[in-house]
Structure formats: structure tokens, C-alpha cells
Amino acid sequence: VPVLDVDEILSITRSLMRQDYRQSVRKAYWQNPKEYCGFFEHEYEIDVPDEKWRSAAEDVDHCLKVFYGSEEYKKLIETPQNDYLEVEQFSSFFVAGVELRIKLDCANREGGKIVIWDWKTGKKESDTGLSLQMGCYAAYAKEKYRVDLDAILTRRFDLHRGAVYEHVVSAPSLEEIMDYIRGSIADMTALLEDKEENRAEEEKFA
């Protein structure tokens, strides 16, 4: 399937953003939150100047242009279809008996490794180290595709700056992340009124 021209992609994206904005302003998501977009700023009636909305739209344009003009994009379109494993597909794995739900931006095979892609679009400097998110992705891929950690490469693409950060997750780093997740699960379940029924009392949660 041919890829659309970048200008057409930008036009379609801007149109979808305007549609989401209109739906959110009229709070259509109150009736159908799965179908309609809802912004935090509209739900809590936070005043946002028009120039900030325009700036956000311009940032989206910038990130799209960076992506479609990048060497990484060229690599992806040259990747055989059979080498793609997942693209924005809801998945899950279990930690301490609890299901963790995730959605990888993209995962493919490349040179004997599994590459997990993550697109970052914010202006904040990307963390070049190992993040909790990418650690979870690596743990999931290790289990799902039955490979060793050294066969998994996480690749974060900072679209605002056009920078790419690659990382191979070490076993000690992953165990540290899993310990953190197990501790977080224990902290949350300790506040439940009934753990078996997963029932909570709102006043116990800050």
C-alpha cells in the first residue's frame, strides 16, 4: 500500500485534531467516551489561550515532518512485512499475578534482534537511560517471543529533536524494574477494602 504524501498526511492530521477539539469542547465524550475525544482542559474548564492550541498543532506538524524525513522511516518502509511483529496492538503480561496491559508503538525483527520502537513527541528532553516503560516492553517481548534480553533492542525516537536513543536492557536493570512494579502492586492492593473482589473505598486513595 503506497504511503500518502507528507503534505496530505499533515492535512488529514490537522483535520482530525480540529474534530477532536470540537468534540471535546461540546463534551461529547460524556455520552460516549470510547468514540469521542475529551481533553483534560475542557473537562476541568481550564482556560487555554488560542496560541497554545496553535503551538500544539504546529508541534504535531513538526514531529510528523521529522519522522517522514528520517533515516529511521526509510529503514521501516524497507523492512519486509514478515519482519513486523506488532504495530500499536494491545497486549499484556503478568507480574505478581496482575495483568499489565501495554501497547507497543512498533516492534520488528532487525539483524537478528527484536527492535521495540517508541515515538516521543514532547519537548521535554528524552531520558537516554532505561525507563520503566521500556523495561516493561522488554520484559513483555522476552516472554512473548521467547528470546534472551540481549536479543532485544529498545529504540526511542525523540521526534521533537530528531534524536534516536538505543538501549539493550540488562538482567539486573530489568530485575530492578520488576521489583519496583511488584512493590507498586503491593502498595495499591494494600489499600483495597476487599482484595479478592478488587473493591476499593475512594477515601483511602489520595
Side-chain angles (χ1 to χ4, degrees):
V1 179
V3 178
L4 297 174
D5 179 78
V6 174
D7 287 338
E8 189 171 357
I9 290 171
L10 292 173
S11 177
I12 291 169
T13 303
R14 186 62 69 95
S15 177
L16 290 171
M17 291 174 70
R18 291 192 181 105
Q19 176 181 291
D20 286 347
Y21 181 88
R22 289 193 296 268
Q23 291 170 354
S24 182
V25 164
R26 71 171 193 266
K27 293 185 168 60
Y29 57 90
W30 281 11
Q31 280 71 48
N32 193 337
K34 287 187 176 181
E35 182 176 348
Y36 298 116
C37 179
F39 293 124
F40 177 92
E41 291 81 359
H42 292 147
E43 173 64 17
Y44 294 99
E45 299 183 356
I46 298 170
D47 186 37
V48 178
D50 288 345
E51 57 265 26
K52 282 202 171 183
W53 291 110
R54 282 194 293 271
S55 177
E58 288 165 2
D59 286 343
V60 171
D61 285 354
H62 170 73
C63 289
L64 286 169
K65 288 174 182 176
V66 168
F67 177 75
Y68 286 106
S70 69
E71 290 300 316
E72 285 70 28
Y73 171 66
K74 291 177 185 175
K75 279 185 186 178
L76 286 169
I77 61 174
E78 291 170 359
T79 299
Q81 187 172 352
N82 289 342
D83 284 341
Y84 279 95
L85 300 171
E86 299 182 28
V87 178
E88 293 195 349
Q89 171 184 312
F90 280 107
S91 306
S92 66
F93 68 110
F94 286 84
V95 176
V98 174
E99 184 180 19
L100 304 188
R101 297 182 181 178
I102 62 173
K103 183 171 71 170
L104 309 186
D105 287 344
C106 180
N108 64 285
R109 297 188 186 278
E110 180 185 302
K113 289 187 180 291
I114 290 177
V115 180
I116 299 172
W117 295 82
D118 189 48
W119 324 126
K120 294 298 183 189
T121 58
K123 289 184 178 180
K124 185 178 178 181
E125 187 74 37
S126 290
D127 178 11
T128 56
L130 177 64
S131 70
L132 176 65
Q133 177 190 14
M134 299 305 275
C136 284
Y137 289 171
Y140 160 78
K142 178 178 181 291
E143 180 181 304
K144 173 71 179 288
Y145 298 107
R146 301 181 184 278
V147 296
D148 295 332
L149 277 177
D150 59 9
I152 299 170
L153 178 67
T154 64
R155 186 176 288 162
R156 291 191 287 179
F157 194 166
D158 181 338
L159 293 166
H160 186 73
R161 293 171 182 79
V164 178
Y165 306 109
E166 293 186 345
H167 196 93
V168 175
V169 183
S170 69
S173 294
L174 185 59
E175 187 55 34
E176 185 178 336
I177 287 172
M178 291 298 103
D179 282 344
Y180 174 83
I181 293 173
R182 286 188 284 264
S184 181
I185 290 170
D187 288 343
M188 288 185 282
T189 55
L191 297 174
L192 292 174
E193 197 69 18
D194 187 323
K195 292 182 183 180
E196 295 300 320
E197 296 293 327
N198 194 34
R199 183 165 53 83
E201 297 295 337
E202 188 173 349
E203 60 270 15
K204 288 190 178 181
F205 291 81

